[in-house]
């Protein structure tokens, strides 16, 4: 399947066929990586295929290959988590300055729908990204660090904090202490 090359017309049917063939796998990957957050998986799937269409129109035939699409989806996921982390920090700082409390003293809310996925969704965005890359994609910690553009020690610490937070949330659910 070839996109546009120097004046050649686009074969739209070829892109649509590739889209239909790869969509289930890309969406399933993002569904797992977002721990079942369907709306987020849909948004990221759309962004992935938008990037694929642009790359394909520029003549990149790999833009419709499943490995290329999953790589783009992974990058879109990481970018979304990074933006979410930044937004949360800004909101926490604004809230702390308004109330005079420490930004780290906020209560952790756990919405129990599916216990594990519900708890994972409560992790900080970078923790979720690291967790998804490590345990959904089964990447080594060094690769997770590289993808998140963090040091190995910082990534290892991020994963330890994520596991500790999950352990606490799951114990609270077992004891019936979760809201």
């Amino acid at each position: 399947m070839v996109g546009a090359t120097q004046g050649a017309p686009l074969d739209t049917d070829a892109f649509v066929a590739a889209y239909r063939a790869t969509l289930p796998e890309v969406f399933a990957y993002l569904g797992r990586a977002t721990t079942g957050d369907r709306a987020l998986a849909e948004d990221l799937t759309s962004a992935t295929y938008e990037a694929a269409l642009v790359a394909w129109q520029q003549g990149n035939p790999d833009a419709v290959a499943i490995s290329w699409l999953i790589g783009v989806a992974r990058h879109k996921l990481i970018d979304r988590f990074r933006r979410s982390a930044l937004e949360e920090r800004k909101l926490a700082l604004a809230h702390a300055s308004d109330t005079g409390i420490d930004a780290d003293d906020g209560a952790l809310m756990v919405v129990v729908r599916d216990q594990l996925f519900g708890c994972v969704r409560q992790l900080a965005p970078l923790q979720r990204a690291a967790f998804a890359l490590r345990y959904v994609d089964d990447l080594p910690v060094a690769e997770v660090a590289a993808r998140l553009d963090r040091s190995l020690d910082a990534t290892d610490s991020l994963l330890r904090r994520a596991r500790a937070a999950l352990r606490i949330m799951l114990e609270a659910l077992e004891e019936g202490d979760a809201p």
Side-chain angles (χ1 to χ4, degrees), residues 33-35 40 77-89 92 103-104 106-110 117-133 148 150 155 157-166 169:
T34 61
T35 60
L40 180 56
L77 176 72
I78 291 167
D79 289 345
R80 177 67 60 95
F81 284 146
R82 282 183 181 154
R83 278 193 310 278
S84 294
L86 179 61
E87 290 170 10
E88 283 184 10
R89 282 194 301 271
D104 292 331
L108 181 61
M109 292 177 49
V110 177
F117 285 174
C119 291
V120 171
R121 284 189 201 111
Q122 298 305 312
L123 293 175
L126 282 176
Q127 288 178 342
R128 282 179 69 188
F131 193 85
L133 291 170
L148 293 178
R150 301 177 79 77
T155 303
S157 176
L158 192 63
L159 286 165
R160 268 189 270 116
R161 287 193 313 269
R163 287 190 302 267
L166 283 172
M169 286 186 272

Side-chain angles (χ1 to χ4, degrees), residues 51-112:
L53 180 59
V54 169
W56 184 76
Q57 288 174 331
Q58 293 172 347
N60 181 354
D62 291 335
V64 291
I66 195 66
S67 59
W68 191 91
L69 290 164
I70 295 293
V72 170
R74 182 179 297 122
H75 288 287
K76 297 290 182 189
L77 176 72
I78 291 167
D79 289 345
R80 177 67 60 95
F81 284 146
R82 282 183 181 154
R83 278 193 310 278
S84 294
L86 179 61
E87 290 170 10
E88 283 184 10
R89 282 194 301 271
K90 287 179 181 177
L91 287 172
L93 289 173
H95 179 69
S97 66
D98 287 347
T99 61
I101 61 170
D102 185 11
D104 292 331
D105 287 345
L108 181 61
M109 292 177 49
V110 177
V111 178
V112 179

